[in-house]
Amino acid sequence: MELRGYKPTIKGHAGQIKRVLRAINNAQKPVICVGGGIFAAEGQKELMQFSESINIPVVSTMMGIGAIPTAHPLYMGMLGMHGKSIANRAISDSDLLIIIGARVSDRAVLLPANVSKNTKIVHIDIDPAEIGKNLDTFIPVVGDAKEILKQVMEEEPERKSDEWTGLLKAAREKLTLDYEPRKEGINPKAFVNLLSKTLPDDHIYCADVGQNQIWSAGNCEVRSGRFLTSGGMGTMGYSIPAAIGAKLAAPDKAVVAVCGDGSFQMQMMELATICQNNVDVKIVVMKNNKLGLVKEIQKKAYKNNESGVDLTGSPNIVALAAAYGIPGRSIDSMDEADEAISQMLSNKGVFLLECVVDANESSM
């Protein structure tokens, strides 16, 4: 990018690259933590080569989901308070943590002081202000993630044994996924997983904010496409505008926006934008008549003392879409999910699918 006054460091310092090499060679339990910066650097291919050639497991922040396929044997999932237990375990048990293009906020690492005390940290980022901001860094490397990964690989680091990765893989295989049918409403985790597996490999999945975001982050299968979300900013009303932009930028790819009924009402006017520009996006609304994540926090932390989370008075979402001339339907059982997803994806043009979810459904 040509921007006057912006002259970032691209290549990593040769001395720091040598230090990274020694740290990798000396490590017994290394882990890669990747964030959204890998996409800005277009370094997904290099990340895969780096991880596979040295046999290092990978975890991601929410913004790093999809940096390598979520079903990849070396991917342990998203870390953090809403992440996978095995991903958090990998971080806490590691002796070398290689952070690539991630700011590692308090949502990702709950006790950064403990991690810094027990683990050597390599932090690779093009923005020097991010390095060491949240975690004490043993080896800082300023530069473009793609270029630095190439530099490290040129030094031919030693391949790690299968003992560490095998331990994590075995623990991951023991994790149980809650995809059981619900008595009331759909199982949103099972639905997200089914939807992502039905979509083409290179689909673009735009997740909003709230429980739907956590269901999506934990259960969406990303293969060669992209998982887009607003990260930790809490910007409800992100998914549909993001999907519109993604579809206009990549018209040949299948694009789906997934949001809750609360966030949908912060962006429902974008249905007009879709119609005006004839944008073929698919919209999934998880409807529970609540601001679900806030309700869940109030239940757990404030003894079920609910305040400001009831969405009684909301419009009929399918009828609202119909008012714009947008076809849609509502389902309240997983028995309908396969056929409803097929109908949505086969429809030429925009389609809205409302999924009724029990108001007491948990994000985890």
Side-chain angles (χ1 to χ4, degrees):
M1 180 172 62
E2 294 295 328
L3 185 64
R4 187 171 62 188
Y6 179 65
K7 302 295 179 186
T9 299
I10 302 299
K11 292 279 187 180
H13 188 279
Q16 297 300 78
I17 298 297
K18 294 288 187 183
R19 291 183 66 197
V20 172
L21 176 68
R22 288 194 295 270
I24 293 173
N25 290 345
N26 292 332
Q28 299 298 315
K29 297 184 288 185
V31 173
I32 298 167
C33 173
V34 63
I38 197 69
F39 297 110
E42 298 181 345
Q44 300 97 299
K45 178 182 176 182
E46 287 71 19
L47 172 68
M48 182 94 76
Q49 292 173 342
F50 180 65
S51 173
E52 290 179 340
S53 63
I54 313 175
N55 195 30
I56 302 181
V58 179
V59 301
S60 75
T61 65
M62 184 176 286
M63 298 301 285
I65 293 173
I68 70 171
T70 53
H72 193 285
L74 287 172
Y75 182 63
M76 300 299 148
M78 183 183 80
L79 78 164
M81 64 169 66
H82 298 301
K84 301 289 187 184
S85 60
I86 187 60
N88 290 324
R89 175 184 168 185
I91 293 290
S92 63
D93 290 353
S94 67
D95 59 2
L96 178 66
L97 177 60
I98 305 171
I99 302 171
I100 304 173
R103 60 195 176 94
V104 202
S105 71
D106 59 351
R107 297 290 181 92
V109 179
L110 298 181
L111 298 171
N114 289 358
V115 175
S116 300
K117 182 168 59 177
N118 300 320
T119 307
K120 287 184 177 179
I121 295 173
V122 173
H123 198 160
I124 300 168
D125 205 291
I126 200 164
D127 184 357
E130 294 294 340
I131 296 177
K133 185 173 73 175
N134 295 313
L135 281 174
D136 291 335
T137 301
F138 179 64
I139 305 174
V141 188
V142 178
D144 180 83
K146 180 177 181 177
E147 294 301 321
I148 290 172
L149 287 172
K150 288 180 180 178
Q151 287 179 271
V152 175
M153 289 302 297
E154 287 170 1
E155 299 292 330
E156 299 182 352
E158 297 174 4
R159 181 176 173 83
K160 302 287 105 177
S161 73
D162 285 330
E163 183 178 355
W164 168 237
T165 55
L167 183 69
L168 293 178
K169 287 178 185 177
R172 186 186 63 180
E173 289 170 2
K174 292 179 181 178
L175 293 177
T176 56
L177 299 173
D178 176 20
Y179 291 163
E180 294 299 314
R182 302 296 194 250
K183 292 181 180 179
E184 299 289 338
I186 68 158
N187 180 334
K189 303 165 194 172
F191 180 88
V192 163
N193 188 257
L194 176 62
L195 171 64
S196 61
K197 286 181 175 178
T198 308
L199 285 161
D201 285 354
D202 63 349
H203 72 268
I204 300 173
Y205 187 112
C206 302
D208 216 282
V209 169
Q211 286 181 318
N212 67 89
Q213 184 183 36
I214 299 167
W215 294 326
S216 296
N219 300 282
C220 178
E221 184 175 291
V222 184
R223 297 179 289 279
S224 59
R226 281 295 304 273
F227 179 86
L228 300 178
T229 192
S230 62
M233 297 300 292
T235 49
M236 293 176 69
Y238 164 89
S239 59
I240 296 177
I244 293 171
K247 186 64 179 182
L248 293 176
D252 295 332
K253 296 185 185 296
V255 180
V256 61
V258 177
C259 58
D261 48 346
S263 58
F264 174 79
Q265 292 179 77
M266 297 183 180
Q267 59 191 326
M268 58 190 184
M269 71 294 293
E270 299 299 346
L271 296 181
T273 308
I274 290 171
C275 294
Q276 288 168 358
N277 295 279
N278 194 29
V279 186
D280 179 11
V281 296
K282 313 306 181 189
I283 302 169
V284 174
V285 181
M286 300 287 189
K287 180 183 178 182
N288 58 7
N289 286 312
K290 301 286 183 179
L291 295 176
L293 189 56
V294 182
K295 177 186 183 298
E296 185 176 341
I297 293 170
Q298 290 174 348
K299 177 180 179 180
K300 292 177 179 178
Y302 299 100
K303 299 180 180 179
N304 216 22
N305 184 23
E306 292 186 17
S307 176
V309 296
D310 186 20
L311 296 181
T312 299
S314 298
N316 181 321
I317 292 173
V318 175
L320 180 67
Y324 284 92
I326 295 173
R329 66 179 288 185
S330 179
I331 63 172
D332 60 7
S333 168
M334 287 302 296
D335 293 338
E336 305 173 88
D338 265 316
E339 193 269 329
I341 290 172
S342 177
Q343 180 186 0
M344 176 175 69
L345 298 184
S346 62
N347 183 78
K348 292 184 178 180
V350 60
F351 190 97
L352 185 145
L353 177 59
E354 177 188 82
C355 298
V356 178
V357 179
D358 188 281
N360 293 310
E361 186 76 44
S362 171
S363 60
M364 299 299 291

